[in-house]
Amino acid sequence: MESVLITRNTFKASKGRLQNPGDFLFKNLTRFFAALILVLVVLMAYEMMRTSALSWNKFGFNFFIRSVWDPVQDEYGALPFIYGTLVSSLLSLIIAVPLSLGIAVFLTEVAPRWLERPVSFFVEMLAGIPSIVYGVWGFFVMVPWLRSTVEPFISKYLGFIPLFRGAPYGVGMLAAGIILSIMILPIIASISRDVLKAVPRSQTEASLALGSTRWQATRIALAYSRSGIFGAVVLGLGRAIGETMAVTMVIGNRPTISASLFEPGYTMASVLANEFTEATSEMYISALVEIALTLFIITIIINSFARLLIWSVTSNERAQKA
Amino acid sequence: MRDYPGTRQTFIEMDTIPENGKGIPVDHNKIVAEKVSAFFGKVQAIRDIQINIPENSIVAIIGPSGCGKSTFLRSINRMHELIHGTRVTGKILLDGEDVYSLDPVLIRKKIGMVFQKPNPFPTMSIFDNVAAGLRMGGTHDRKNIAEVVERSLQQAALWSEVKDSLSKSGVGLSGGQQQRLCIARALAVNPEVLLMDEPASALDPIATAKIEELLFELKKRYTIVIVTHNMQQAARVSDYTAFFYMGELIEYDITKKIFTAPSIKQTEDYVTGRFG
Ligand SMILES: Nc1ncnc2c1ncn2[C@@H]1O[C@H](COP(=O)(O)OP(=O)(O)OP(=O)(O)O)[C@@H](O)[C@H]1O
Ligand SMILES: [Mg+2]
């Protein structure tokens, strides 16, 4: 609060004086760029709404609950893609969240210093690998392995559960979930690590002074930072939902809704990447753009929500330290 | 458990230390420190501290900032070793047993601690804050927990103020209430000793008075070591006072003697406000 007041005041004070032309230019130029981004986002949304109007007018809200996708008859529904996006993203969270938290706790509470740095570096490096590389690895290494080893093994022992029924294709929802989990692991792990590191010493000490074990003190720290960690998870979810290339290469690209994770599926991002070039009719294009708009809105909501959470946690800390 | 033959033995040594006041009783020691030194890396924060803390008494530790009061306190319940690169030498006996040869988790259950800044667990309710130590210690019987929580809050003189809002967050309380909540939390695990590091320094005079009053009650059941910068507070609440200076124990005697007729010049200068 205070710092805001101070900058406002100094700004006002400087207004009275003659301004350095360089400062003036700089300030307004940066202001212009900031505004430009906002304008771009609004324009993008507007443009997508305009293009998708045709599909919206024809199918209305039914577009989101229909599972037909038939370019020949010009009949479109987005449900299989929405379903695919949701299921593959949730699956990736189920795999990535425990792993990431494990890594974050290891890095902050357990690892000796000489190990902490290289592991952190390695985890962050994973975030920098282009997604097509994950896709290629997924397609040529992971998928064959899933098909020959993992899926037959799971269906042998857990085949009675509908989730694990069906032929082991290799490509499919499970493959997409795994590849996504590897891709969102770095972001969740590294933000959770930062959030855990920001837990005040006094909390850990309060716990240990009560005669708690290190693990119990860690649980206190996890509870203290739970909203920050939740923010990290939501940010990971945002990334999983928008991820395109790697998923497209391993999910099978078939617009069906199936209970089995072994079956192929399709996601919103993948259908856009795959079918944009072939979309010939105006209705086809319009339907694809409506999917794009849906994805756009979902990711914006998820990302702002996550940022807000993380931001509120870190600003609390700043307030406490002051 | 309490009458260890070792306890008396250590005394003989203690008696030979000249700066140790003759007014300190030598039987029923709760804690005995023998030549305790503590280090931060290569920096030595306290040097050869020899002190005995009689059971059911309040011992105040005074001294200028940076003289090692907190460090000494934190070596007693083995919190000092939690900081990277630190170490403690010498012996600290609790009921005649060396705390450094026992499990630190057990030691910290027996030796509770209250910190300078109130540090309740923000995600927990008032009730859960007090119950935290019990639950972490493996007690899950609801009735038992509820009883201990009530008793601890009563002992910390907070019960009447919070009994209708036990499920509310602990951080919604005032600073003084939060500190008493932390005292209740420490008492709930049923410690034998309570270490308090400037527990009232962040509080207003009324909240401070409440905590001081509380100490008189608590001393009937616990042995208390309190660090304070407030001379009046030390004089008011403690039975015995230890004066630390530059990492050493300069003088230790009956509080009244320290504040009226100290035997060492440095102590006199400090308590009369001539330095520090
Ligand atoms: N984390 C640390 N790392 C290195 N040195 C430290 C650390 N904490 C304390 N010290 C040093 O140890 C000495 C004793 O510190 P300590 O905190 O015990 O003093 P204190 O008497 O409690 O002071 P205060 O009254 O200000 O709380 C000081 O000289 C301090 O510089
Ligand atoms: Mg201190």
Side-chain angles (χ1 to χ4, degrees), chain B residues 196-210:
Chain B
M196 304 176 117
D197 196 346
E198 305 183 40
S201 66
L203 307 180
D204 67 78
I206 294 173
T208 304
K210 276 220 167 109

Side-chain angles (χ1 to χ4, degrees), chain A residues 201-223:
Chain A
R201 240 199 122 69
S202 64
Q203 286 289 309
T204 321
E205 292 200 335
S207 168
L208 290 169
L210 288 173
S212 77
T213 60
R214 289 242 334 244
W215 165 235
Q216 287 168 330
T218 302
R219 278 178 39 188
I220 295 277
L222 282 170

Side-chain angles (χ1 to χ4, degrees), chain A:
Chain A
M1 258 323 260
E2 233 164 305
S3 65
V4 174
L5 284 177
I6 288 165
T7 42
R8 282 223 185 113
N9 285 342
T10 43
F11 172 65
K12 269 187 196 153
S14 70
K15 232 180 175 179
R17 277 181 248 130
L18 263 183
Q19 270 191 350
N20 177 318
D23 274 358
F24 177 82
L25 192 71
F26 177 73
K27 195 187 286 168
N28 284 292
L29 207 63
T30 48
R31 210 182 261 170
F32 170 75
F33 285 133
L36 196 66
I37 289 174
L38 258 180
V39 171
L40 272 178
V41 168
V42 172
L43 272 181
M44 260 168 79
Y46 170 76
E47 196 55 35
M48 284 194 281
M49 284 198 295
R50 211 172 55 89
T51 320
S52 63
L54 195 64
S55 152
W56 175 252
N57 289 339
K58 179 161 180 208
F59 306 113
F61 184 75
N62 279 342
F63 182 75
F64 303 107
I65 52 175
R66 276 154 55 100
S67 52
V68 53
W69 188 259
D70 186 352
V72 182
Q73 309 287 329
D74 250 0
E75 289 290 332
Y76 304 101
L79 192 61
F81 310 108
I82 295 173
Y83 175 83
T85 296
L86 286 183
V87 171
S88 60
S89 309
L90 288 182
L91 188 61
S92 73
L93 284 188
I94 290 170
I95 301 169
V97 169
L99 276 176
S100 313
L101 286 188
I103 291 170
V105 167
F106 174 76
L107 287 175
T108 48
E109 311 280 339
V110 186
R113 288 196 182 170
W114 60 268
L115 196 62
E116 189 193 324
R117 276 183 158 228
V119 174
S120 285
F121 174 76
F122 180 74
V123 168
E124 268 153 35
M125 196 187 67
L126 284 179
I129 298 175
S131 85
I132 185 76
V133 176
Y134 283 105
V136 169
W137 175 83
F139 187 79
F140 287 109
V141 181
M142 187 188 70
V143 165
W145 179 62
L146 284 180
R147 182 169 50 225
S148 63
T149 315
V150 180
E151 289 181 356
F153 178 82
I154 297 178
S155 67
K156 188 169 162 199
Y157 293 102
L158 297 170
F160 59 93
I161 306 173
L163 277 179
F164 305 116
R165 213 164 272 166
Y169 288 105
V171 293
M173 217 50 114
L174 183 64
I178 294 175
I179 208 96
L180 279 176
S181 71
I182 300 172
M183 297 177 76
I184 64 176
L185 184 131
I187 190 169
I188 302 180
S190 59
I191 294 180
S192 303
R193 178 203 56 198
D194 293 347
V195 175
L196 274 178
K197 274 211 164 148
V199 173
R201 240 199 122 69
S202 64
Q203 286 289 309
T204 321
E205 292 200 335
S207 168
L208 290 169
L210 288 173
S212 77
T213 60
R214 289 242 334 244
W215 165 235
Q216 287 168 330
T218 302
R219 278 178 39 188
I220 295 277
L222 282 170
Y224 183 91
S225 48
R226 61 186 176 190
S227 50
I229 289 174
F230 188 63
V233 171
V234 177
L235 217 55
L237 177 66
R239 166 121 204 240
I241 284 177
E243 181 45 50
T244 312
M245 277 324 294
V247 175
T248 307
M249 295 180 74
V250 300
I251 199 169
N253 300 330
R254 197 197 292 161
T256 51
I257 294 178
S258 158
S260 172
L261 297 178
F262 296 167
E263 294 283 332
Y266 222 156
T267 67
M268 293 193 263
S270 304
V271 73
L272 292 175
N274 278 333
E275 302 192 4
F276 233 103
T277 46
E278 344 170 328
T280 40
S281 82
E282 227 170 308
M283 187 60 82
Y284 197 177
I285 293 175
S286 181
L288 284 173
V289 173
E290 192 170 350
I291 290 182
L293 182 62
T294 313
L295 191 57
F296 179 79
I297 292 170
I298 291 176
T299 41
I300 282 189
I301 291 175
I302 286 181
N303 279 298
S304 351
F305 182 56
R307 286 290 168 199
L308 217 63
L309 273 175
I310 294 171
W311 175 78
S312 77
V313 171
T314 44
S315 68
N316 261 348
E317 256 151 47
R318 253 178 267 131
Q320 272 178 9
K321 269 177 196 155

Side-chain angles (χ1 to χ4, degrees), chain B residues 40 45 64-71 83 198 229:
Chain B
F40 291 95
S65 192
C67 68
K69 306 179 296 291
S70 300
T71 308
I83 299 167
E198 305 183 40
H229 272 287

Side-chain angles (χ1 to χ4, degrees), chain B residues 34-145:
Chain B
E34 280 180 49
K35 282 190 165 282
V36 173
S37 298
F39 302 80
F40 291 95
K42 289 206 174 76
V43 180
Q44 184 163 9
I46 52 174
R47 185 184 306 274
D48 293 339
I49 303 293
Q50 301 257 31
I51 199 169
N52 63 302
I53 315 258
E55 194 162 15
N56 295 336
S57 62
I58 302 182
V59 171
I61 300 181
I62 58 170
S65 192
C67 68
K69 306 179 296 291
S70 300
T71 308
F72 176 63
L73 210 61
R74 292 165 58 89
S75 358
I76 297 178
N77 67 341
R78 301 188 57 173
M79 295 295 280
H80 180 68
E81 68 198 44
L82 295 172
I83 299 167
H84 192 80
T86 57
R87 96 197 134 86
V88 176
T89 64
K91 262 190 188 168
I92 291 177
L93 309 176
L94 173 69
D95 291 327
E97 264 191 291
D98 189 354
V99 301
Y100 281 86
S101 65
L102 299 169
D103 179 8
V105 168
L106 189 78
I107 287 302
R108 295 186 196 124
K109 279 194 181 119
K110 288 189 178 179
I111 309 179
M113 188 167 215
V114 176
F115 299 80
Q116 181 171 356
K117 259 178 81 182
N119 53 358
F121 300 127
T123 57
M124 293 187 194
S125 67
I126 292 173
F127 184 96
D128 290 341
N129 260 286
V130 183
L134 276 182
R135 289 187 178 137
M136 290 194 287
T139 308
H140 293 290
D141 177 47
R142 278 163 182 247
K143 211 172 135 236
N144 188 0
I145 290 179

